[in-house]
Amino acid sequence: MDISRTGDVWWKNAVIYCLDVETFQDSNGDGIGDFAGLTRRIDHLARLGVTCIWLMPFYPTANQDDGYDITDYYGVDPRLGTLGDLAVFLRTARDRGIRVIADLVVNHTSDQHPWFRSAASDRNSPYRDWYVWRDEIPEDGPDEVIFPDQEDSIWEWHEETGQYYLHRFYAHQPDLNIGNPLVREEIHKIVGFWLQLGLSGFRVDAVPYLLDTQGLKAPPDLDLHDWLRDLRSFVQRRCGEAVLLGEVNLPYQETRRFFGDDGGGELNMCLDFNMNQAMALALVREDAGPLVHSLRAMPELHPDDGWAHFARNHDEWTLDKLTEAERQQVFRAFGPDKDMQLFGRGLRRRIPTMLKGNDDRIRLVYSLVFALPGAPVLFYGEEIGMAENLDIPGRLSVRSPMQWSDGPNGGFSTAPPDKMLRPVVSGSRWGPEAVNVADQERDPDSLLNWLERLIRRRREMPEVAFGEWSFIPFPDAAIFALRYDWGDRTALLLHNLGKRACRSRCRLDGGKPMGRLTRIQGQGRLDLDADGTASLDLPGHGCLWLRADPAGEAG
């Protein structure tokens, strides 16, 4: 065991917090969050125990897709402040011991970006080949429509120049041509610019689409996985601590390719969509089986690479890896109304409403996320149990303003309600009057204070990120029990997915003696007999985190 590695590869043991600047805190009363407001709230995140903030896009934008339609990669959206405001925020975050990463969205631009406006003005434009153009829709090209409610094709006819252009997402987001070496060089410049200003890395958007060469007239002059490896080398030359966190929603073995397979060297981390969907099914069935199956399928990674686990992200809760029957089972439990579903494959709700406000189940979810082998990711508002606002269209339903107090607009803004970027959650159960930071800070039993303790305990257990995991084989299907060993450290993390209290026994085979067990977090009891039999007693939806002391006497 080398404890120094926990700092050298900090991302493996990070607590990552994703937020959208425009919905976090408004400082000037215009109804839109900004960097000055975010800086004012940095101590909330420091107190919570966050070690890395992930910023959703803050660049100048046409604002047709919540900032993911970028018009300038080298600036700050003026609604959110200036480069100077961003610099103050980065400096303040670093003072609190928090690194900052940002979305890198380079598989497409806005159709209002100067590059595309030039490309669309003339077939002889120097930027024409920065995008993917075809005279006819290729029969062997890509055809998957990602947003079937908005688009019926991923090829858009451009009348002025008489060709189709490729857009895997919305028609107003033309794809960049990754086969063009000038485009790849520009991505290096973008990355280098923001690293120079103080970012500690990037969450790379839609990586499989970024590297997909379907639809290109000619294959690129190199393997794009080699280019991704070169991008990581460039990033870490510019900033040795920087990380690339990839959005790769593919089966495990295909995702592993984006790490660089056995040798690593491409992405440092990937968001684990497979485990996330397995968790949804496990929660609905109150059966650990899907989680066990997913863990067994999880491929081994290079020691410096890792997974990022989450309960809820900023998009719909996609369930595309489940079978149709499994997906419908989750829909019936967590989003039975059509208005709660999206694209036929996902849910546009947050965890507390899906679990009907059951405190024990909500805490079980986050204990599970923090117990999985990897780094946990929180989406803003999860620490207080915020709900979605289904009055906001589509996937934006989970991106309503942060609820800071029970005051007007939840303390997010002093703007009149009709000037707000988006409406706050309403109602006596989930609105700011009932769910807010200020009230929960004063309540020692609140979700906020519980999660703060969980984060502190998780940070004290680097064996979860760096150690070897194994199952503790309790026969009860509702029990999900993991053991982590790292050098002289051993941790046991046990969860009861069922609503009924459970008593279960199993024999522990192999491994070093555990000695005395110390409770770190949760309720329940685990007793070890002299013959190696473990007896577990857990309440319904209960969690129990233990640390073993091999030098102590078994208790």
Side-chain angles (χ1 to χ4, degrees):
M1 181 185 77
D2 183 357
I3 197 70
S4 69
R5 291 193 69 242
T6 63
D8 292 341
V9 282
W10 60 268
W11 50 84
K12 287 176 66 75
N13 200 42
V15 176
I16 302 169
Y17 187 97
C18 173
L19 63 87
D20 191 348
V21 176
E22 66 180 9
T23 56
F24 204 64
Q25 180 67 68
D26 171 20
S27 72
N28 59 8
D30 66 354
I32 302 170
D34 45 49
F35 276 108
L38 173 56
T39 303
R40 275 176 41 199
R41 294 296 188 180
I42 196 70
D43 286 320
H44 165 72
L45 301 178
R47 183 171 54 249
L48 183 60
V50 169
T51 65
C52 178
I53 295 172
W54 154 16
L55 297 176
M56 292 169 62
F58 56 81
Y59 318 100
T61 173
N63 211 26
Q64 293 180 273
D65 185 25
D66 199 29
Y68 285 88
D69 49 330
I70 295 169
T71 58
D72 178 6
Y73 287 101
Y74 298 99
V76 171
D77 186 333
R79 300 174 310 145
L80 311 183
T82 65
L83 271 176
D85 294 324
L86 171 61
V88 170
F89 160 68
L90 292 173
R91 172 73 177 178
T92 308
R94 181 63 64 129
D95 175 70
R96 304 306 196 270
I98 301 174
R99 293 176 170 89
V100 180
I101 65 174
D103 265 327
L104 180 67
V105 187
V106 288
N107 60 303
H108 59 246
T109 70
S110 166
D111 61 2
Q112 299 305 304
H113 195 291
W115 300 341
F116 187 77
R117 295 177 70 177
S118 172
S121 68
D122 186 346
R123 285 201 187 194
N124 295 317
S125 163
Y127 289 101
R128 184 71 176 184
D129 195 42
W130 283 46
Y131 296 87
V132 181
W133 301 89
R134 298 297 287 268
D135 292 327
E136 297 180 353
I137 297 175
E139 294 183 2
D140 59 348
D143 58 8
E144 177 192 5
V145 177
I146 297 173
F147 300 127
D149 64 328
Q150 301 278 333
E151 307 287 348
D152 54 17
S153 173
I154 61 173
W155 293 93
E156 184 76 4
W157 177 252
H158 188 257
E159 187 67 37
E160 290 180 40
T161 56
Q163 283 187 310
Y164 292 92
Y165 66 83
L166 177 65
H167 62 92
R168 295 177 189 273
F169 292 85
Y170 296 109
H172 60 77
Q173 293 170 330
D175 276 25
L176 284 165
N177 177 10
I178 194 66
N180 185 336
L182 294 177
V183 170
R184 300 196 297 269
E185 181 181 342
E186 189 70 27
I187 293 172
H188 279 69
K189 291 179 183 178
I190 294 166
V191 164
F193 176 82
W194 291 109
L195 291 176
Q196 192 69 30
L197 288 186
L199 289 185
S200 292
F202 304 89
R203 175 265 190 186
V204 189
D205 188 60
V207 186
Y209 294 108
L210 173 63
L211 267 59
D212 191 350
T213 59
Q214 288 190 86
L216 303 187
K217 290 182 180 178
D221 55 1
L222 81 168
D223 185 326
L224 288 177
H225 281 277
D226 289 338
W227 172 77
L228 185 58
R229 185 175 288 106
D230 180 63
L231 180 65
R232 174 166 164 179
S233 296
F234 172 82
V235 164
Q236 296 192 310
R237 286 197 306 273
R238 290 293 179 95
C239 177
E241 69 169 19
V243 65
L244 292 177
L245 166 63
E247 181 193 28
V248 184
N249 182 14
L250 294 172
Y252 271 133
Q253 289 303 323
E254 294 179 49
T255 300
R256 189 168 181 258
R257 290 191 61 213
F258 292 86
F259 283 104
D261 291 325
D262 293 331
E266 295 185 36
L267 297 172
N268 303 88
M269 302 186 76
C270 285
L271 292 157
D272 194 341
F273 289 89
N274 293 278
M275 189 69 70
N276 179 253
Q277 298 183 45
M279 183 173 67
L281 191 59
L283 290 169
V284 168
R285 292 179 172 176
E286 299 189 353
D287 184 335
L291 287 169
V292 171
H293 176 77
S294 191
L295 265 175
R296 284 178 171 154
M298 180 186 285
E300 188 173 346
L301 304 177
H302 185 277
D304 289 349
D305 297 339
W307 298 99
H309 297 291
F310 58 98
R312 195 63 182 81
N313 68 2
H314 60 290
D315 290 330
E316 75 278 8
W317 189 348
T318 184
L319 303 169
D320 62 329
K321 299 292 179 292
L322 303 182
T323 67
E324 183 60 29
E326 292 169 340
R327 186 161 44 250
Q328 292 303 323
Q329 188 176 5
V330 176
F331 280 169
R332 285 193 296 273
F334 289 165
D337 298 340
K338 285 294 183 183
D339 186 46
M340 299 172 178
Q341 302 166 17
L342 201 61
F343 311 135
R345 63 173 185 257
L347 290 162
R348 61 189 204 100
R349 309 187 76 195
R350 281 182 177 250
I351 297 296
T353 50
M354 287 191 285
L355 299 182
K356 300 179 174 60
N358 184 308
D359 287 341
D360 290 337
R361 292 191 80 190
I362 293 168
R363 297 181 188 203
L364 169 69
V365 166
Y366 294 104
S367 184
L368 283 169
V369 169
F370 277 68
L372 292 168
V377 181
L378 292 170
F379 186 46
Y380 79 94
E382 286 192 288
E383 71 269 32
I384 56 172
M386 264 180 61
E388 74 284 351
N389 186 346
L390 292 176
D391 291 335
I392 303 173
R395 52 173 56 183
L396 298 185
S397 62
V398 299
R399 306 182 199 173
S400 57
M402 181 67 177
Q403 297 169 195
W404 294 105
S405 72
D406 61 3
N409 298 323
F412 164 76
S413 174
T414 59
D418 63 340
K419 299 297 184 183
M420 291 278 286
L421 172 74
R422 291 183 202 127
V424 297
V425 174
S426 61
S428 59
R429 176 63 182 89
W430 301 109
E433 298 82 2
V435 179
N436 66 74
V437 171
D439 287 349
Q440 292 198 25
E441 284 180 337
R442 295 187 289 267
D443 179 2
D445 297 321
S446 68
L447 177 63
L448 176 62
N449 280 305
W450 176 86
L451 193 57
E452 180 183 331
R453 293 191 295 272
L454 180 70
I455 289 173
R456 184 169 64 249
R457 296 307 189 192
R458 173 61 183 76
R459 288 283 293 164
E460 294 168 354
M461 302 176 76
E463 53 267 41
V464 178
F466 291 91
E468 296 290 330
W469 63 267
S470 58
F471 292 114
I472 305 174
F474 287 103
D476 192 312
I479 298 300
F480 182 62
L482 290 176
R483 170 176 174 164
Y484 289 94
D485 292 289
W486 188 47
D488 58 355
R489 293 174 180 257
T490 295
L492 309 177
L493 282 61
L494 308 111
H495 299 83
N496 179 6
L497 276 63
K499 63 177 66 71
R500 296 182 179 84
C502 123
R503 292 181 178 176
S504 191
R505 292 164 60 87
C506 73
R507 180 177 290 276
L508 302 179
D509 296 321
K512 64 187 178 188
M514 282 190 283
R516 180 179 296 278
L517 298 178
T518 302
R519 183 196 310 271
I520 300 298
Q521 180 95 0
Q523 309 85 36
R525 183 179 178 88
L526 180 68
D527 294 313
L528 299 178
D529 296 339
D531 66 354
T533 298
S535 301
L536 176 65
D537 194 339
L538 267 183
H541 301 140
C543 316
L544 180 61
W545 289 26
L546 301 166
R547 171 163 280 135
D549 177 10
E553 295 181 3

